[in-house]
Amino acid sequence: MSSTAPTTDSNLAVQVEALEIKATTTTATPRNHYHYQHHLLRKYSSGEDEVEEVEDDNEEPRSLRRSPVTHGPSPAVDHSHGLARLLKNNLLWSKAIRERQPDFFDRGSKGQQPEVFWIGCSDSRVPENEVLQLAPGEVFTHRNIANVVISTDLNCLSVLQYAVDVLKVKHVIVCGHYGCGGVAAALSDQSFGLIDHWLANIKDVKRQHDSNIDSIQDQEERCRALVEINCRNSVLTVAKSPIMKAAWARGQVIDVVGMVYDIQTGFLSELGYHVSNEKDLKTHLSVHSDALFAARKNTQL
């Protein structure tokens, strides 16, 4: 990263300490249903114990900030609207950032220089910036149901190409997560409508490892195994892409790593699928399903 980019430590301070907002509701009267009491954590740069409090707006509801670019015919969002809390949180968030790092947004507006490209699941419980403790501008992201990467998905591949060829990221993280609803649905014989077409990709992965996955008696553990194998498949699909092969051929230092997030503990773990070049890729492709699951059993002992 260039010398003008914000440092990870200072960004972490902003992300973790300056921006955590706690909201409590009071329902004394209908007008106060969206009456929130916000608190910003103590300033990151001081060792003080006091908490800075942002007073609530006790006035009658009024319109919140509106973009001057286009003024559509819809009425402005006021304080009685369900999104009012989110817009107020945004104002507090922006204010907190600017108070602690006045030039933060100015620097960010000049471009992004992330070192990490994250391919993850759309699940709202796996927010990559918070999981990795990185600030805005430090992780480039693509998310879909069950972090599936297939060679015909132009959306995902376009993002991958931009990350590799333009942003020059150093790491591509493919992250699955235990308790994934998409993977659980793929294990089922039930039809879920349109998403069945997407889940067919995970079912294809399962068929490659049917005997080993079906031998697991516990349904939850079977799902965890498919989460891991599905992530492995996406790692290998990324690594086999012409985008990655071209990057390695020109000497670009970049790796593809498979990880899994445990929503019950908050822990992120590497799965042992780490591809840094064509030689690594051939090694991973040569590993038989039985060997993968034997290693998995040994890890659990």
Side-chain angles (χ1 to χ4, degrees):
M1 303 178 104
S2 70
S3 58
T4 58
T7 64
T8 298
D9 289 343
S10 62
N11 283 340
L12 277 180
V14 174
Q15 191 80 345
V16 180
E17 298 182 51
L19 304 185
E20 183 170 332
I21 298 175
K22 300 178 180 179
T24 57
T25 63
T26 170
T27 56
T29 64
R31 187 179 75 83
N32 287 332
H33 182 69
Y34 290 102
H35 183 79
Y36 291 86
Q37 189 173 33
H38 298 279
H39 299 280
L40 295 177
L41 294 186
R42 57 181 173 271
K43 294 182 178 180
Y44 74 93
S45 59
S46 69
E48 301 171 356
D49 294 328
E50 70 271 11
V51 176
E52 176 186 354
E53 181 173 330
V54 178
E55 294 184 359
D56 294 311
D57 181 6
N58 293 315
E59 300 177 5
E60 291 295 325
R62 64 178 183 271
S63 297
L64 298 179
R65 184 185 300 273
R66 195 166 195 177
S67 172
V69 179
T70 58
H71 286 282
S74 301
V77 173
D78 61 29
H79 288 275
S80 66
H81 195 283
L83 294 178
R85 175 173 63 93
L86 306 185
L87 295 176
K88 289 180 70 175
N89 283 353
N90 170 257
L91 292 176
L92 292 171
W93 175 81
S94 176
K95 179 182 178 182
I97 286 283
R98 285 181 279 111
E99 285 179 349
R100 289 156 177 80
Q101 291 191 31
D103 63 342
F104 182 85
F105 293 110
D106 181 60
R107 287 182 297 179
S109 68
K110 291 178 170 60
Q112 57 177 324
Q113 294 178 308
E115 293 189 353
V116 174
F117 174 40
W118 173 279
I119 301 176
C121 181
S122 299
D123 196 301
S124 61
R125 298 168 295 177
V126 194
E128 62 283 348
N129 279 75
E130 291 193 28
V131 168
L132 299 174
Q133 282 298 276
L134 294 177
E138 292 191 299
V139 56
F140 196 60
T141 304
H142 176 82
R143 296 170 72 175
N144 61 46
I145 298 297
N147 48 274
V148 171
V149 180
I150 54 177
S151 60
T152 56
D153 185 354
L154 297 184
N155 183 354
C156 181
L157 295 179
S158 296
V159 184
L160 174 64
Q161 182 175 28
Y162 188 82
V164 174
D165 294 353
V166 180
L167 297 178
K168 305 294 184 184
V169 298
K170 296 180 179 179
H171 312 285
V172 178
I173 296 176
V174 180
C175 185
H177 70 95
Y178 297 131
C180 179
V183 171
L187 277 173
S188 168
D189 294 327
Q190 183 179 348
S191 175
F192 297 93
L194 178 64
I195 197 175
D196 289 344
H197 297 281
W198 187 253
L199 298 179
N201 296 297
I202 309 175
K203 290 179 180 288
D204 287 343
V205 173
K206 178 184 178 298
R207 276 191 285 271
Q208 299 170 22
H209 305 273
D210 257 344
S211 59
N212 285 299
I213 291 179
D214 290 343
S215 68
I216 301 175
Q217 300 301 312
D218 182 75
Q219 178 66 16
E220 182 178 353
E221 191 57 36
R222 189 181 302 127
C223 186
R224 289 170 70 93
L226 185 53
V227 163
E228 296 167 7
I229 294 300
N230 178 59
C231 183
R232 172 185 182 268
N233 186 74
S234 290
V235 166
L236 297 181
T237 303
V238 170
K240 288 186 293 183
S241 70
I243 299 167
M244 292 302 303
K245 289 186 176 183
W248 288 327
R250 61 177 175 260
Q252 189 169 338
V253 179
I254 178 173
D255 55 15
V256 188
V257 181
M259 294 189 179
V260 65
Y261 177 73
D262 192 332
I263 59 175
Q264 293 184 327
T265 65
F267 291 146
L268 188 66
S269 303
E270 186 179 354
L271 286 171
Y273 313 136
H274 188 173
V275 187
S276 300
N277 49 52
E278 290 265 18
K279 182 178 178 181
D280 287 344
L281 176 59
K282 290 179 180 179
T283 299
H284 280 277
L285 290 173
S286 67
V287 179
H288 190 270
S289 178
D290 291 344
L292 290 173
F293 280 81
R296 189 177 189 277
K297 290 178 181 177
N298 291 335
T299 302
Q300 293 176 320
L301 294 178

mmCIF file of all heavy atoms in Angstrom, residues 201-224:
data_model
loop_
_atom_site.group_PDB
_atom_site.id
_atom_site.type_symbol
_atom_site.label_atom_id
_atom_site.label_comp_id
_atom_site.label_asym_id
_atom_site.label_seq_id
_atom_site.Cartn_x
_atom_site.Cartn_y
_atom_site.Cartn_z
ATOM 1 N N ASN A 201 -25.221 -26.404 -8.282
ATOM 2 C CA ASN A 201 -23.753 -26.374 -8.289
ATOM 3 C C ASN A 201 -23.179 -27.048 -7.045
ATOM 4 O O ASN A 201 -22.159 -27.742 -7.117
ATOM 5 C CB ASN A 201 -23.266 -24.924 -8.367
ATOM 6 C CG ASN A 201 -23.673 -24.238 -9.654
ATOM 7 O OD1 ASN A 201 -23.262 -24.639 -10.731
ATOM 8 N ND2 ASN A 201 -24.503 -23.210 -9.546
ATOM 9 N N ILE A 202 -23.828 -26.825 -5.896
ATOM 10 C CA ILE A 202 -23.370 -27.454 -4.654
ATOM 11 C C ILE A 202 -23.699 -28.945 -4.670
ATOM 12 O O ILE A 202 -22.913 -29.776 -4.194
ATOM 13 C CB ILE A 202 -24.012 -26.775 -3.429
ATOM 14 C CG1 ILE A 202 -23.819 -25.263 -3.502
ATOM 15 C CG2 ILE A 202 -23.416 -27.317 -2.133
ATOM 16 C CD1 ILE A 202 -24.528 -24.490 -2.403
ATOM 17 N N LYS A 203 -24.845 -29.296 -5.223
ATOM 18 C CA LYS A 203 -25.212 -30.711 -5.335
ATOM 19 C C LYS A 203 -24.202 -31.462 -6.207
ATOM 20 O O LYS A 203 -23.865 -32.618 -5.925
ATOM 21 C CB LYS A 203 -26.628 -30.838 -5.914
ATOM 22 C CG LYS A 203 -27.746 -30.388 -4.973
ATOM 23 C CD LYS A 203 -29.099 -30.514 -5.637
ATOM 24 C CE LYS A 203 -30.235 -30.082 -4.731
ATOM 25 N NZ LYS A 203 -30.483 -31.061 -3.650
ATOM 26 N N ASP A 204 -23.709 -30.802 -7.259
ATOM 27 C CA ASP A 204 -22.691 -31.426 -8.114
ATOM 28 C C ASP A 204 -21.411 -31.691 -7.324
ATOM 29 O O ASP A 204 -20.759 -32.728 -7.502
ATOM 30 C CB ASP A 204 -22.376 -30.529 -9.309
ATOM 31 C CG ASP A 204 -23.489 -30.522 -10.347
ATOM 32 O OD1 ASP A 204 -24.339 -31.435 -10.316
ATOM 33 O OD2 ASP A 204 -23.514 -29.589 -11.183
ATOM 34 N N VAL A 205 -21.055 -30.746 -6.460
ATOM 35 C CA VAL A 205 -19.875 -30.935 -5.613
ATOM 36 C C VAL A 205 -20.095 -32.111 -4.673
ATOM 37 O O VAL A 205 -19.204 -32.958 -4.490
ATOM 38 C CB VAL A 205 -19.574 -29.655 -4.804
ATOM 39 C CG1 VAL A 205 -18.446 -29.906 -3.802
ATOM 40 C CG2 VAL A 205 -19.213 -28.508 -5.731
ATOM 41 N N LYS A 206 -21.284 -32.194 -4.101
ATOM 42 C CA LYS A 206 -21.585 -33.292 -3.178
ATOM 43 C C LYS A 206 -21.470 -34.644 -3.878
ATOM 44 O O LYS A 206 -20.924 -35.601 -3.308
ATOM 45 C CB LYS A 206 -22.989 -33.141 -2.593
ATOM 46 C CG LYS A 206 -23.378 -34.283 -1.649
ATOM 47 C CD LYS A 206 -24.788 -34.152 -1.161
ATOM 48 C CE LYS A 206 -25.171 -35.333 -0.264
ATOM 49 N NZ LYS A 206 -25.123 -36.628 -1.002
ATOM 50 N N ARG A 207 -21.967 -34.720 -5.128
ATOM 51 C CA ARG A 207 -21.917 -35.990 -5.847
ATOM 52 C C ARG A 207 -20.483 -36.492 -6.037
ATOM 53 O O ARG A 207 -20.243 -37.701 -6.100
ATOM 54 C CB ARG A 207 -22.622 -35.857 -7.201
ATOM 55 C CG ARG A 207 -24.129 -36.043 -7.131
ATOM 56 C CD ARG A 207 -24.740 -36.164 -8.513
ATOM 57 N NE ARG A 207 -24.803 -34.874 -9.176
ATOM 58 C CZ ARG A 207 -25.827 -34.041 -9.060
ATOM 59 N NH1 ARG A 207 -26.859 -34.361 -8.292
ATOM 60 N NH2 ARG A 207 -25.820 -32.885 -9.695
ATOM 61 N N GLN A 208 -19.538 -35.556 -6.111
ATOM 62 C CA GLN A 208 -18.137 -35.951 -6.257
ATOM 63 C C GLN A 208 -17.592 -36.598 -4.988
ATOM 64 O O GLN A 208 -16.547 -37.259 -5.018
ATOM 65 C CB GLN A 208 -17.288 -34.734 -6.618
ATOM 66 C CG GLN A 208 -17.670 -34.068 -7.934
ATOM 67 C CD GLN A 208 -16.957 -32.739 -8.130
ATOM 68 O OE1 GLN A 208 -15.907 -32.484 -7.530
ATOM 69 N NE2 GLN A 208 -17.519 -31.874 -8.962
ATOM 70 N N HIS A 209 -18.289 -36.382 -3.882
ATOM 71 C CA HIS A 209 -17.818 -36.890 -2.581
ATOM 72 C C HIS A 209 -18.941 -37.641 -1.855
ATOM 73 O O HIS A 209 -18.930 -37.757 -0.629
ATOM 74 C CB HIS A 209 -17.336 -35.727 -1.710
ATOM 75 C CG HIS A 209 -16.290 -34.881 -2.351
ATOM 76 N ND1 HIS A 209 -14.943 -35.163 -2.273
ATOM 77 C CD2 HIS A 209 -16.390 -33.752 -3.108
ATOM 78 C CE1 HIS A 209 -14.256 -34.247 -2.942
ATOM 79 N NE2 HIS A 209 -15.114 -33.379 -3.461
ATOM 80 N N ASP A 210 -19.896 -38.176 -2.627
ATOM 81 C CA ASP A 210 -21.101 -38.784 -2.052
ATOM 82 C C ASP A 210 -20.807 -39.827 -0.982
ATOM 83 O O ASP A 210 -21.371 -39.784 0.114
ATOM 84 C CB ASP A 210 -21.949 -39.426 -3.154
ATOM 85 C CG ASP A 210 -23.156 -38.567 -3.502
ATOM 86 O OD1 ASP A 210 -23.489 -37.665 -2.701
ATOM 87 O OD2 ASP A 210 -23.769 -38.797 -4.557
ATOM 88 N N SER A 211 -19.943 -40.776 -1.295
ATOM 89 C CA SER A 211 -19.720 -41.886 -0.362
ATOM 90 C C SER A 211 -19.174 -41.396 0.972
ATOM 91 O O SER A 211 -19.561 -41.892 2.039
ATOM 92 C CB SER A 211 -18.767 -42.911 -0.977
ATOM 93 O OG SER A 211 -17.521 -42.307 -1.285
ATOM 94 N N ASN A 212 -18.292 -40.414 0.930
ATOM 95 C CA ASN A 212 -17.690 -39.906 2.171
ATOM 96 C C ASN A 212 -18.651 -39.006 2.948
ATOM 97 O O ASN A 212 -18.705 -39.074 4.178
ATOM 98 C CB ASN A 212 -16.410 -39.132 1.843
ATOM 99 C CG ASN A 212 -15.256 -40.049 1.486
ATOM 100 O OD1 ASN A 212 -14.824 -40.867 2.289
ATOM 101 N ND2 ASN A 212 -14.777 -39.934 0.256
ATOM 102 N N ILE A 213 -19.401 -38.177 2.249
ATOM 103 C CA ILE A 213 -20.349 -37.297 2.942
ATOM 104 C C ILE A 213 -21.506 -38.095 3.509
ATOM 105 O O ILE A 213 -21.934 -37.890 4.655
ATOM 106 C CB ILE A 213 -20.856 -36.197 1.982
ATOM 107 C CG1 ILE A 213 -19.717 -35.223 1.667
ATOM 108 C CG2 ILE A 213 -22.042 -35.442 2.598
ATOM 109 C CD1 ILE A 213 -20.092 -34.112 0.715
ATOM 110 N N ASP A 214 -22.029 -39.062 2.734
ATOM 111 C CA ASP A 214 -23.168 -39.851 3.202
ATOM 112 C C ASP A 214 -22.799 -40.777 4.350
ATOM 113 O O ASP A 214 -23.675 -41.244 5.091
ATOM 114 C CB ASP A 214 -23.748 -40.669 2.042
ATOM 115 C CG ASP A 214 -24.445 -39.795 1.010
ATOM 116 O OD1 ASP A 214 -24.763 -38.631 1.339
ATOM 117 O OD2 ASP A 214 -24.654 -40.262 -0.128
ATOM 118 N N SER A 215 -21.511 -41.060 4.505
ATOM 119 C CA SER A 215 -21.081 -41.930 5.606
ATOM 120 C C SER A 215 -21.115 -41.214 6.952
ATOM 121 O O SER A 215 -21.030 -41.853 8.011
ATOM 122 C CB SER A 215 -19.671 -42.453 5.336
ATOM 123 O OG SER A 215 -18.722 -41.399 5.395
ATOM 124 N N ILE A 216 -21.240 -39.899 6.929
ATOM 125 C CA ILE A 216 -21.323 -39.123 8.179
ATOM 126 C C ILE A 216 -22.758 -39.202 8.690
ATOM 127 O O ILE A 216 -23.701 -38.772 8.008
ATOM 128 C CB ILE A 216 -20.913 -37.658 7.933
ATOM 129 C CG1 ILE A 216 -19.481 -37.589 7.386
ATOM 130 C CG2 ILE A 216 -21.028 -36.842 9.223
ATOM 131 C CD1 ILE A 216 -19.038 -36.184 6.992
ATOM 132 N N GLN A 217 -22.951 -39.731 9.866
ATOM 133 C CA GLN A 217 -24.294 -39.984 10.387
ATOM 134 C C GLN A 217 -24.997 -38.721 10.878
ATOM 135 O O GLN A 217 -26.189 -38.512 10.637
ATOM 136 C CB GLN A 217 -24.227 -41.005 11.540
ATOM 137 C CG GLN A 217 -23.657 -42.342 11.127
ATOM 138 C CD GLN A 217 -24.466 -42.993 10.012
ATOM 139 O OE1 GLN A 217 -25.689 -43.065 10.073
ATOM 140 N NE2 GLN A 217 -23.773 -43.474 8.980
ATOM 141 N N ASP A 218 -24.260 -37.849 11.530
ATOM 142 C CA ASP A 218 -24.860 -36.635 12.106
ATOM 143 C C ASP A 218 -25.144 -35.620 10.998
ATOM 144 O O ASP A 218 -24.243 -35.265 10.221
ATOM 145 C CB ASP A 218 -23.915 -36.033 13.148
ATOM 146 C CG ASP A 218 -24.502 -34.797 13.803
ATOM 147 O OD1 ASP A 218 -25.404 -34.939 14.648
ATOM 148 O OD2 ASP A 218 -24.051 -33.684 13.453
ATOM 149 N N GLN A 219 -26.385 -35.142 10.904
ATOM 150 C CA GLN A 219 -26.768 -34.236 9.829
ATOM 151 C C GLN A 219 -26.013 -32.908 9.887
ATOM 152 O O GLN A 219 -25.591 -32.381 8.861
ATOM 153 C CB GLN A 219 -28.283 -33.967 9.892
ATOM 154 C CG GLN A 219 -28.811 -32.991 8.847
ATOM 155 C CD GLN A 219 -28.698 -33.511 7.421
ATOM 156 O OE1 GLN A 219 -28.497 -34.704 7.203
ATOM 157 N NE2 GLN A 219 -28.812 -32.618 6.449
ATOM 158 N N GLU A 220 -25.837 -32.380 11.100
ATOM 159 C CA GLU A 220 -25.110 -31.116 11.227
ATOM 160 C C GLU A 220 -23.661 -31.274 10.795
ATOM 161 O O GLU A 220 -23.108 -30.404 10.112
ATOM 162 C CB GLU A 220 -25.178 -30.605 12.669
ATOM 163 C CG GLU A 220 -24.474 -29.264 12.859
ATOM 164 C CD GLU A 220 -24.583 -28.735 14.286
ATOM 165 O OE1 GLU A 220 -25.320 -29.344 15.095
ATOM 166 O OE2 GLU A 220 -23.920 -27.726 14.587
ATOM 167 N N GLU A 221 -23.043 -32.379 11.172
ATOM 168 C CA GLU A 221 -21.652 -32.615 10.798
ATOM 169 C C GLU A 221 -21.536 -32.859 9.295
ATOM 170 O O GLU A 221 -20.553 -32.467 8.657
ATOM 171 C CB GLU A 221 -21.096 -33.810 11.573
ATOM 172 C CG GLU A 221 -19.595 -33.976 11.472
ATOM 173 C CD GLU A 221 -18.829 -32.742 11.940
ATOM 174 O OE1 GLU A 221 -19.272 -32.090 12.902
ATOM 175 O OE2 GLU A 221 -17.783 -32.445 11.323
ATOM 176 N N ARG A 222 -22.546 -33.494 8.727
ATOM 177 C CA ARG A 222 -22.557 -33.709 7.283
ATOM 178 C C ARG A 222 -22.602 -32.365 6.555
ATOM 179 O O ARG A 222 -21.927 -32.164 5.542
ATOM 180 C CB ARG A 222 -23.763 -34.559 6.896
ATOM 181 C CG ARG A 222 -23.747 -35.033 5.436
ATOM 182 C CD ARG A 222 -24.986 -35.853 5.102
ATOM 183 N NE ARG A 222 -25.097 -37.009 5.974
ATOM 184 C CZ ARG A 222 -26.182 -37.309 6.692
ATOM 185 N NH1 ARG A 222 -27.238 -36.531 6.651
ATOM 186 N NH2 ARG A 222 -26.198 -38.380 7.440
ATOM 187 N N CYS A 223 -23.377 -31.449 7.089
ATOM 188 C CA CYS A 223 -23.484 -30.112 6.511
ATOM 189 C C CYS A 223 -22.159 -29.365 6.637
ATOM 190 O O CYS A 223 -21.724 -28.693 5.693
ATOM 191 C CB CYS A 223 -24.607 -29.330 7.187
ATOM 192 S SG CYS A 223 -24.945 -27.726 6.441
ATOM 193 N N ARG A 224 -21.508 -29.499 7.776
ATOM 194 C CA ARG A 224 -20.208 -28.835 7.974
ATOM 195 C C ARG A 224 -19.187 -29.369 6.967
ATOM 196 O O ARG A 224 -18.371 -28.614 6.424
ATOM 197 C CB ARG A 224 -19.720 -29.066 9.409
ATOM 198 C CG ARG A 224 -20.517 -28.314 10.458
ATOM 199 C CD ARG A 224 -20.165 -28.768 11.868
ATOM 200 N NE ARG A 224 -18.832 -28.357 12.261
ATOM 201 C CZ ARG A 224 -18.548 -27.235 12.926
ATOM 202 N NH1 ARG A 224 -19.517 -26.389 13.246
ATOM 203 N NH2 ARG A 224 -17.315 -26.943 13.271
#
